[in-house]
Amino acid sequence: MQNTFVVIMAGGLGTRFWPYSRTHKPKQFLDVLGTGSTLLQMTYERFKDIALPENILVVTHESYKELVMEQLPFLTEHQILLEPARKNTAPCIAYASYKIKAQNPEATIVVTPADHLILKEEVFRKEIQKALRFASAGNRLVTLGITPSRPDTGYGYIQFETEAVDEIHQVVTFTEKPEKELAIKFLESGDFVWNAGIFIWHVSSILAAFEEHLPDMVEVFEAGLAALHTPKEQAFIAQAYSQCKNISIDYGVMEKADNVYVVKGDFGWSDLGSWNALHEISEKDADNNVVQANGILMDTKNSYVIGPAEKLILVQGLEGYLVAECDNVLLICRKDLEGKFREFINVVKEKKGNTYL
């Protein structure tokens, strides 16, 4: 445990959960599931038995520092890594990895988003421990894969070799959000899993991968290593991020590397990436509706209704819709068109400014 570190990525905007998720308080800081804990708090709790408390880091946008400190008050300031800009996951992981290496060159790291749901926590922990043992024993980049239950086009897919060592398979290809016909073929083939976006690797392995596949980013971070864990760190990170390209770890490293492995798991995972995903795992009425409101539904099926308790929401004649009243926004749209939410945000920003975002 001494050499195990966890990096929780918590800087996203949660665009696909608008208008519930807002710029000033995105979904990872919300009690989306109604459990009394936010998604960030649930993620931290998930890893308490995997890493020492002082080895759990949260990477977030600098504007969310107070939210992180409020929700995880036991974290020290050096455990909260503040990004000056959103540059996707590769710079985020590079920053955390260099900082961890300066503290412990023997570290094995779990990188996880802050906004995922895991229903089978004990099964999940066993899979993570298996991945940690495998990753710490060699130059290996490990990711978690979820056995797909349907040809979902909202997830990335990983193809794996059928041969395995301790049920860990080498990765053949990554495919990001395929068309429906291709997703159906993936399921039929039996050698594809969903990409959970959770990674495990030794710190030396991931930094070697950065050197090979993103050398420009390595040059940027290595220029200021002496500033890490000092009062000069934030100024250095601001400069570094201004020079980093906006790129995901999947595109920048994982899809190019030949030492990538996948641990297949079935631990009740959802990335909670959209209202549709939340609808799928929520309690429903006899007509497959999720109602988190003072609502009356008539002739309505397969819909999601959320709103304030003090306001009555009556819905008639809808099927497959989202009706969401949150603060100063009422949104009514098809709930399965998650790709439209970025368009909604752009239109609102263009016509109304940032007031409703």
Side-chain angles (χ1 to χ4, degrees):
M1 258 179 109
Q2 188 69 41
N3 293 335
T4 301
F5 283 71
V6 174
V7 175
I8 301 174
M9 300 183 292
L13 287 170
T15 303
R16 288 177 293 170
F17 263 107
W18 183 80
Y20 185 43
S21 176
R22 298 296 183 96
T23 302
H24 69 279
K25 197 172 186 179
K27 68 171 179 174
Q28 61 269 27
F29 302 109
L30 300 172
D31 180 10
V32 171
L33 300 172
T35 63
S37 296
T38 67
L39 294 178
L40 173 62
Q41 290 169 328
M42 292 174 68
T43 303
Y44 179 89
E45 288 294 318
R46 186 174 302 139
F47 286 96
K48 278 201 319 185
D49 295 332
I50 292 172
L52 297 174
E54 60 267 29
N55 289 355
I56 300 178
L57 311 180
V58 175
V59 188
T60 192
H61 189 268
E62 59 189 13
S63 61
Y64 302 143
K65 178 182 178 181
E66 286 71 26
L67 278 172
V68 174
M69 294 177 70
E70 174 189 319
Q71 296 192 3
L72 301 176
F74 34 79
L75 294 184
T76 62
E77 288 218 8
H78 88 269
Q79 290 174 268
I80 305 173
L81 282 59
L82 301 176
E83 296 184 288
R86 294 180 177 87
K87 291 290 186 81
N88 217 313
T89 51
C92 161
I93 289 170
Y95 176 17
S97 299
Y98 278 110
K99 183 155 184 173
I100 289 170
K101 185 183 180 183
Q103 182 178 340
N104 184 342
E106 298 305 317
T108 304
I109 305 168
V110 182
V111 179
T112 179
D115 52 4
H116 287 187
L117 171 68
I118 306 291
L119 293 175
K120 303 174 185 176
E121 298 273 1
E122 191 54 42
V123 176
F124 175 78
R125 278 190 282 270
K126 287 179 180 177
E127 299 295 348
I128 289 289
Q129 295 290 6
K130 181 197 297 183
L132 283 165
R133 289 191 297 271
F134 186 78
S136 64
N139 183 23
R140 300 153 170 173
L141 308 177
V142 184
T143 185
L144 294 191
I146 311 301
T147 303
S149 58
R150 60 189 182 279
D152 198 307
T153 58
Y155 295 141
Y157 284 73
I158 301 171
Q159 184 183 22
F160 56 87
E161 297 278 8
T162 53
E163 292 183 7
V165 177
D166 191 23
E167 299 180 322
I168 298 176
H169 302 254
Q170 186 151 15
V171 169
V172 179
T173 59
F174 286 84
T175 303
E176 185 65 20
K177 297 181 180 178
E179 296 293 328
K180 190 65 172 279
E181 294 76 13
L182 190 55
I184 291 171
K185 290 181 180 178
F186 287 170
L187 258 69
E188 291 173 346
S189 74
D191 59 354
F192 282 83
V193 288
W194 288 334
N195 183 359
I198 299 172
F199 308 104
I200 304 95
W201 41 52
H202 193 280
V203 66
S204 62
S205 301
I206 187 58
L207 291 180
F210 270 104
E211 288 175 13
E212 181 175 357
H213 303 294
L214 290 173
D216 292 348
M217 199 171 292
V218 168
E219 187 176 339
V220 167
F221 278 97
E222 290 194 341
L225 292 182
L228 298 177
H229 296 281
T230 77
K232 298 179 181 178
E233 178 174 328
Q234 212 54 47
F236 160 62
I237 291 301
Q239 181 183 5
Y241 267 64
S242 70
Q243 300 174 67
C244 284
K245 66 173 75 173
N246 186 326
I247 188 169
S248 72
I249 195 70
D250 298 89
Y251 285 123
V253 173
M254 303 299 280
E255 294 183 9
K256 300 173 182 175
D258 58 7
N259 59 333
V260 180
Y261 297 81
V262 63
V263 176
K264 294 195 297 178
D266 181 10
F267 34 78
W269 171 89
S270 172
D271 73 343
L272 293 179
S274 65
W275 287 106
N276 211 36
L278 187 56
H279 178 273
E280 185 177 310
I281 58 95
S282 298
E283 186 177 342
K284 305 170 189 68
D285 66 16
D287 291 313
N288 205 39
N289 298 307
V290 175
V291 182
Q292 295 176 324
N294 179 13
I296 298 174
L297 276 60
M298 303 169 62
D299 307 318
T300 293
K301 299 178 180 178
N302 192 33
S303 293
Y304 201 122
V305 179
I306 181 171
E310 65 273 12
K311 182 171 289 189
L312 173 65
I313 299 177
L314 192 151
V315 179
Q316 187 274 330
L318 295 185
E319 183 168 354
Y321 267 73
L322 167 69
V323 179
E325 177 163 347
C326 305
D327 297 327
N328 54 357
V329 174
L330 170 62
L331 174 66
I332 303 170
C333 67
R334 290 202 58 84
K335 69 175 174 60
D336 57 351
L337 297 180
E338 58 187 70
K340 280 281 187 182
F341 278 74
R342 194 171 298 279
E343 182 181 331
F344 295 161
I345 296 291
N346 292 337
V347 169
V348 171
K349 188 171 185 177
E350 177 188 342
K351 296 185 178 297
K352 300 291 183 179
N354 295 322
T355 303
Y356 301 98
L357 303 181

